[in-house]
PDB file of all heavy atoms in Angstrom:
ATOM      1  N   PRO Z  50     -12.975  -5.176   2.155  1.00 90.00           N
ATOM      2  CA  PRO Z  50     -14.169  -4.317   2.082  1.00 90.00           C
ATOM      3  C   PRO Z  50     -13.821  -2.919   1.591  1.00 90.00           C
ATOM      4  O   PRO Z  50     -12.820  -2.324   2.002  1.00 90.00           O
ATOM      5  CB  PRO Z  50     -14.660  -4.287   3.534  1.00 90.00           C
ATOM      6  CG  PRO Z  50     -13.446  -4.539   4.353  1.00 90.00           C
ATOM      7  CD  PRO Z  50     -12.555  -5.440   3.547  1.00 90.00           C
ATOM      8  N   TRP Z  51     -14.649  -2.406   0.692  1.00 94.00           N
ATOM      9  CA  TRP Z  51     -14.490  -1.053   0.152  1.00 94.00           C
ATOM     10  C   TRP Z  51     -15.764  -0.254   0.367  1.00 94.00           C
ATOM     11  O   TRP Z  51     -16.870  -0.757   0.128  1.00 94.00           O
ATOM     12  CB  TRP Z  51     -14.175  -1.102  -1.345  1.00 94.00           C
ATOM     13  CG  TRP Z  51     -12.785  -1.549  -1.650  1.00 94.00           C
ATOM     14  CD1 TRP Z  51     -12.322  -2.828  -1.688  1.00 94.00           C
ATOM     15  CD2 TRP Z  51     -11.662  -0.713  -1.942  1.00 94.00           C
ATOM     16  NE1 TRP Z  51     -10.985  -2.860  -1.982  1.00 94.00           N
ATOM     17  CE2 TRP Z  51     -10.549  -1.559  -2.155  1.00 94.00           C
ATOM     18  CE3 TRP Z  51     -11.486   0.654  -2.064  1.00 94.00           C
ATOM     19  CZ2 TRP Z  51      -9.282  -1.085  -2.470  1.00 94.00           C
ATOM     20  CZ3 TRP Z  51     -10.226   1.137  -2.380  1.00 94.00           C
ATOM     21  CH2 TRP Z  51      -9.136   0.276  -2.578  1.00 94.00           C
ATOM     22  N   SER Z  52     -15.599   0.997   0.809  1.00 95.00           N
ATOM     23  CA  SER Z  52     -16.727   1.911   1.009  1.00 95.00           C
ATOM     24  C   SER Z  52     -16.904   2.798  -0.217  1.00 95.00           C
ATOM     25  O   SER Z  52     -15.982   2.974  -1.016  1.00 95.00           O
ATOM     26  CB  SER Z  52     -16.486   2.813   2.228  1.00 95.00           C
ATOM     27  OG  SER Z  52     -16.304   2.072   3.405  1.00 95.00           O
ATOM     28  N   THR Z  53     -18.088   3.378  -0.349  1.00 96.00           N
ATOM     29  CA  THR Z  53     -18.279   4.446  -1.327  1.00 96.00           C
ATOM     30  C   THR Z  53     -17.722   5.733  -0.737  1.00 96.00           C
ATOM     31  O   THR Z  53     -17.382   5.801   0.453  1.00 96.00           O
ATOM     32  CB  THR Z  53     -19.757   4.631  -1.667  1.00 96.00           C
ATOM     33  OG1 THR Z  53     -20.425   5.203  -0.526  1.00 96.00           O
ATOM     34  CG2 THR Z  53     -20.426   3.303  -2.019  1.00 96.00           C
ATOM     35  N   ASP Z  54     -17.653   6.780  -1.555  1.00 96.00           N
ATOM     36  CA  ASP Z  54     -17.180   8.062  -1.033  1.00 96.00           C
ATOM     37  C   ASP Z  54     -18.327   8.989  -0.638  1.00 96.00           C
ATOM     38  O   ASP Z  54     -18.106  10.169  -0.366  1.00 96.00           O
ATOM     39  CB  ASP Z  54     -16.235   8.754  -2.018  1.00 96.00           C
ATOM     40  CG  ASP Z  54     -16.839   8.941  -3.406  1.00 96.00           C
ATOM     41  OD1 ASP Z  54     -18.055   8.702  -3.569  1.00 96.00           O
ATOM     42  OD2 ASP Z  54     -16.095   9.324  -4.325  1.00 96.00           O
ATOM     43  N   ALA Z  55     -19.540   8.450  -0.594  1.00 94.00           N
ATOM     44  CA  ALA Z  55     -20.669   9.248  -0.109  1.00 94.00           C
ATOM     45  C   ALA Z  55     -20.437   9.588   1.360  1.00 94.00           C
ATOM     46  O   ALA Z  55     -20.144   8.722   2.178  1.00 94.00           O
ATOM     47  CB  ALA Z  55     -21.973   8.463  -0.272  1.00 94.00           C
ATOM     48  N   GLY Z  56     -20.560  10.847   1.707  1.00 92.00           N
ATOM     49  CA  GLY Z  56     -20.393  11.259   3.097  1.00 92.00           C
ATOM     50  C   GLY Z  56     -19.003  11.752   3.435  1.00 92.00           C
ATOM     51  O   GLY Z  56     -18.812  12.368   4.479  1.00 92.00           O
ATOM     52  N   VAL Z  57     -18.007  11.491   2.570  1.00 97.00           N
ATOM     53  CA  VAL Z  57     -16.660  11.980   2.854  1.00 97.00           C
ATOM     54  C   VAL Z  57     -16.221  13.046   1.852  1.00 97.00           C
ATOM     55  O   VAL Z  57     -15.129  13.600   1.967  1.00 97.00           O
ATOM     56  CB  VAL Z  57     -15.629  10.831   2.898  1.00 97.00           C
ATOM     57  CG1 VAL Z  57     -15.915   9.910   4.070  1.00 97.00           C
ATOM     58  CG2 VAL Z  57     -15.612  10.057   1.596  1.00 97.00           C
ATOM     59  N   THR Z  58     -17.053  13.325   0.867  1.00 97.00           N
ATOM     60  CA  THR Z  58     -16.806  14.436  -0.048  1.00 97.00           C
ATOM     61  C   THR Z  58     -18.150  14.985  -0.503  1.00 97.00           C
ATOM     62  O   THR Z  58     -19.143  14.245  -0.560  1.00 97.00           O
ATOM     63  CB  THR Z  58     -15.954  14.009  -1.256  1.00 97.00           C
ATOM     64  OG1 THR Z  58     -15.648  15.159  -2.049  1.00 97.00           O
ATOM     65  CG2 THR Z  58     -16.684  12.987  -2.108  1.00 97.00           C
ATOM     66  N   LYS Z  59     -18.186  16.261  -0.827  1.00 95.00           N
ATOM     67  CA  LYS Z  59     -19.454  16.892  -1.206  1.00 95.00           C
ATOM     68  C   LYS Z  59     -19.418  17.503  -2.601  1.00 95.00           C
ATOM     69  O   LYS Z  59     -20.364  18.176  -3.009  1.00 95.00           O
ATOM     70  CB  LYS Z  59     -19.830  17.971  -0.178  1.00 95.00           C
ATOM     71  CG  LYS Z  59     -20.177  17.396   1.186  1.00 95.00           C
ATOM     72  CD  LYS Z  59     -20.697  18.475   2.126  1.00 95.00           C
ATOM     73  CE  LYS Z  59     -21.154  17.892   3.451  1.00 95.00           C
ATOM     74  NZ  LYS Z  59     -21.695  18.926   4.364  1.00 95.00           N
ATOM     75  N   THR Z  60     -18.332  17.314  -3.321  1.00 97.00           N
ATOM     76  CA  THR Z  60     -18.217  17.880  -4.660  1.00 97.00           C
ATOM     77  C   THR Z  60     -17.809  16.798  -5.641  1.00 97.00           C
ATOM     78  O   THR Z  60     -17.480  15.672  -5.263  1.00 97.00           O
ATOM     79  CB  THR Z  60     -17.182  19.017  -4.693  1.00 97.00           C
ATOM     80  OG1 THR Z  60     -15.897  18.487  -4.318  1.00 97.00           O
ATOM     81  CG2 THR Z  60     -17.566  20.131  -3.739  1.00 97.00           C
ATOM     82  N   GLY Z  61     -17.826  17.147  -6.924  1.00 97.00           N
ATOM     83  CA  GLY Z  61     -17.388  16.224  -7.949  1.00 97.00           C
ATOM     84  C   GLY Z  61     -18.503  15.350  -8.481  1.00 97.00           C
ATOM     85  O   GLY Z  61     -19.652  15.379  -8.001  1.00 97.00           O
ATOM     86  N   PHE Z  62     -18.146  14.535  -9.474  1.00 98.00           N
ATOM     87  CA  PHE Z  62     -19.118  13.674 -10.151  1.00 98.00           C
ATOM     88  C   PHE Z  62     -18.538  12.269 -10.327  1.00 98.00           C
ATOM     89  O   PHE Z  62     -17.342  12.109 -10.594  1.00 98.00           O
ATOM     90  CB  PHE Z  62     -19.488  14.255 -11.525  1.00 98.00           C
ATOM     91  CG  PHE Z  62     -20.091  15.626 -11.456  1.00 98.00           C
ATOM     92  CD1 PHE Z  62     -19.296  16.752 -11.549  1.00 98.00           C
ATOM     93  CD2 PHE Z  62     -21.462  15.784 -11.276  1.00 98.00           C
ATOM     94  CE1 PHE Z  62     -19.851  18.020 -11.486  1.00 98.00           C
ATOM     95  CE2 PHE Z  62     -22.026  17.050 -11.199  1.00 98.00           C
ATOM     96  CZ  PHE Z  62     -21.213  18.169 -11.304  1.00 98.00           C
ATOM     97  N   ASN Z  63     -19.421  11.292 -10.208  1.00 98.00           N
ATOM     98  CA  ASN Z  63     -19.013   9.895 -10.386  1.00 98.00           C
ATOM     99  C   ASN Z  63     -18.917   9.538 -11.858  1.00 98.00           C
ATOM    100  O   ASN Z  63     -19.675  10.044 -12.688  1.00 98.00           O
ATOM    101  CB  ASN Z  63     -20.002   8.956  -9.710  1.00 98.00           C
ATOM    102  CG  ASN Z  63     -20.022   9.106  -8.196  1.00 98.00           C
ATOM    103  OD1 ASN Z  63     -19.150   9.761  -7.631  1.00 98.00           O
ATOM    104  ND2 ASN Z  63     -20.997   8.500  -7.551  1.00 98.00           N
ATOM    105  N   LYS Z  64     -17.993   8.634 -12.166  1.00 98.00           N
ATOM    106  CA  LYS Z  64     -17.843   8.173 -13.543  1.00 98.00           C
ATOM    107  C   LYS Z  64     -17.310   6.743 -13.547  1.00 98.00           C
ATOM    108  O   LYS Z  64     -16.420   6.407 -12.770  1.00 98.00           O
ATOM    109  CB  LYS Z  64     -16.867   9.088 -14.304  1.00 98.00           C
ATOM    110  CG  LYS Z  64     -16.766   8.797 -15.792  1.00 98.00           C
ATOM    111  CD  LYS Z  64     -18.009   9.226 -16.541  1.00 98.00           C
ATOM    112  CE  LYS Z  64     -17.849   9.066 -18.040  1.00 98.00           C
ATOM    113  NZ  LYS Z  64     -19.026   9.531 -18.786  1.00 98.00           N
ATOM    114  N   ARG Z  65     -17.883   5.921 -14.434  1.00 97.00           N
ATOM    115  CA  ARG Z  65     -17.377   4.555 -14.629  1.00 97.00           C
ATOM    116  C   ARG Z  65     -16.524   4.528 -15.882  1.00 97.00           C
ATOM    117  O   ARG Z  65     -16.891   5.098 -16.910  1.00 97.00           O
ATOM    118  CB  ARG Z  65     -18.535   3.554 -14.743  1.00 97.00           C
ATOM    119  CG  ARG Z  65     -18.081   2.115 -15.018  1.00 97.00           C
ATOM    120  CD  ARG Z  65     -19.211   1.127 -14.832  1.00 97.00           C
ATOM    121  NE  ARG Z  65     -19.520   0.987 -13.410  1.00 97.00           N
ATOM    122  CZ  ARG Z  65     -18.882   0.150 -12.586  1.00 97.00           C
ATOM    123  NH1 ARG Z  65     -17.887  -0.596 -13.052  1.00 97.00           N
ATOM    124  NH2 ARG Z  65     -19.223   0.065 -11.328  1.00 97.00           N
ATOM    125  N   LEU Z  66     -15.379   3.860 -15.800  1.00 97.00           N
ATOM    126  CA  LEU Z  66     -14.474   3.780 -16.940  1.00 97.00           C
ATOM    127  C   LEU Z  66     -15.095   2.951 -18.058  1.00 97.00           C
ATOM    128  O   LEU Z  66     -15.820   1.982 -17.798  1.00 97.00           O
ATOM    129  CB  LEU Z  66     -13.135   3.179 -16.520  1.00 97.00           C
ATOM    130  CG  LEU Z  66     -12.060   4.174 -16.060  1.00 97.00           C
ATOM    131  CD1 LEU Z  66     -12.535   4.994 -14.874  1.00 97.00           C
ATOM    132  CD2 LEU Z  66     -10.761   3.449 -15.710  1.00 97.00           C
ATOM    133  N   PRO Z  67     -14.812   3.294 -19.309  1.00 96.00           N
ATOM    134  CA  PRO Z  67     -15.416   2.567 -20.431  1.00 96.00           C
ATOM    135  C   PRO Z  67     -14.920   1.137 -20.556  1.00 96.00           C
ATOM    136  O   PRO Z  67     -15.661   0.269 -21.028  1.00 96.00           O
ATOM    137  CB  PRO Z  67     -15.014   3.405 -21.658  1.00 96.00           C
ATOM    138  CG  PRO Z  67     -13.832   4.196 -21.222  1.00 96.00           C
ATOM    139  CD  PRO Z  67     -14.025   4.454 -19.763  1.00 96.00           C
ATOM    140  N   ALA Z  68     -13.683   0.867 -20.167  1.00 95.00           N
ATOM    141  CA  ALA Z  68     -13.125  -0.489 -20.274  1.00 95.00           C
ATOM    142  C   ALA Z  68     -12.970  -1.091 -18.891  1.00 95.00           C
ATOM    143  O   ALA Z  68     -12.598  -0.413 -17.925  1.00 95.00           O
ATOM    144  CB  ALA Z  68     -11.782  -0.456 -20.996  1.00 95.00           C
ATOM    145  N   ARG Z  69     -13.256  -2.385 -18.798  1.00 94.00           N
ATOM    146  CA  ARG Z  69     -13.160  -3.093 -17.524  1.00 94.00           C
ATOM    147  C   ARG Z  69     -11.711  -3.175 -17.059  1.00 94.00           C
ATOM    148  O   ARG Z  69     -10.813  -3.494 -17.834  1.00 94.00           O
ATOM    149  CB  ARG Z  69     -13.733  -4.504 -17.688  1.00 94.00           C
ATOM    150  CG  ARG Z  69     -13.750  -5.344 -16.427  1.00 94.00           C
ATOM    151  CD  ARG Z  69     -14.840  -4.905 -15.496  1.00 94.00           C
ATOM    152  NE  ARG Z  69     -14.910  -5.719 -14.292  1.00 94.00           N
ATOM    153  CZ  ARG Z  69     -15.710  -5.463 -13.284  1.00 94.00           C
ATOM    154  NH1 ARG Z  69     -16.532  -4.431 -13.344  1.00 94.00           N
ATOM    155  NH2 ARG Z  69     -15.723  -6.231 -12.223  1.00 94.00           N
ATOM    156  N   GLN Z  70     -11.476  -2.889 -15.763  1.00 94.00           N
ATOM    157  CA  GLN Z  70     -10.136  -2.924 -15.197  1.00 94.00           C
ATOM    158  C   GLN Z  70      -9.959  -4.145 -14.307  1.00 94.00           C
ATOM    159  O   GLN Z  70     -10.917  -4.669 -13.739  1.00 94.00           O
ATOM    160  CB  GLN Z  70      -9.869  -1.650 -14.389  1.00 94.00           C
ATOM    161  CG  GLN Z  70     -10.062  -0.365 -15.171  1.00 94.00           C
ATOM    162  CD  GLN Z  70      -9.141  -0.261 -16.362  1.00 94.00           C
ATOM    163  OE1 GLN Z  70      -7.964  -0.597 -16.279  1.00 94.00           O
ATOM    164  NE2 GLN Z  70      -9.676   0.202 -17.494  1.00 94.00           N
ATOM    165  N   ALA Z  71      -8.709  -4.600 -14.189  1.00 91.00           N
ATOM    166  CA  ALA Z  71      -8.426  -5.800 -13.399  1.00 91.00           C
ATOM    167  C   ALA Z  71      -8.713  -5.582 -11.919  1.00 91.00           C
ATOM    168  O   ALA Z  71      -9.232  -6.472 -11.241  1.00 91.00           O
ATOM    169  CB  ALA Z  71      -6.966  -6.217 -13.606  1.00 91.00           C
ATOM    170  N   LEU Z  72      -8.398  -4.398 -11.402  1.00 92.00           N
ATOM    171  CA  LEU Z  72      -8.678  -4.067 -10.010  1.00 92.00           C
ATOM    172  C   LEU Z  72     -10.060  -3.449  -9.918  1.00 92.00           C
ATOM    173  O   LEU Z  72     -10.344  -2.430 -10.549  1.00 92.00           O
ATOM    174  CB  LEU Z  72      -7.632  -3.101  -9.465  1.00 92.00           C
ATOM    175  CG  LEU Z  72      -6.202  -3.642  -9.366  1.00 92.00           C
ATOM    176  CD1 LEU Z  72      -5.231  -2.520  -9.015  1.00 92.00           C
ATOM    177  CD2 LEU Z  72      -6.115  -4.752  -8.327  1.00 92.00           C
TER     178      LEU Z  72
END
Side-chain angles (χ1 to χ4, degrees):
W51 286 81
S52 301
T53 70
D54 55 10
V57 294
T58 185
K59 292 187 175 181
T60 61
F62 300 92
N63 294 349
K64 187 72 174 182
R65 177 168 288 275
L66 269 59
R69 182 75 178 174
Q70 304 299 318
L72 295 171

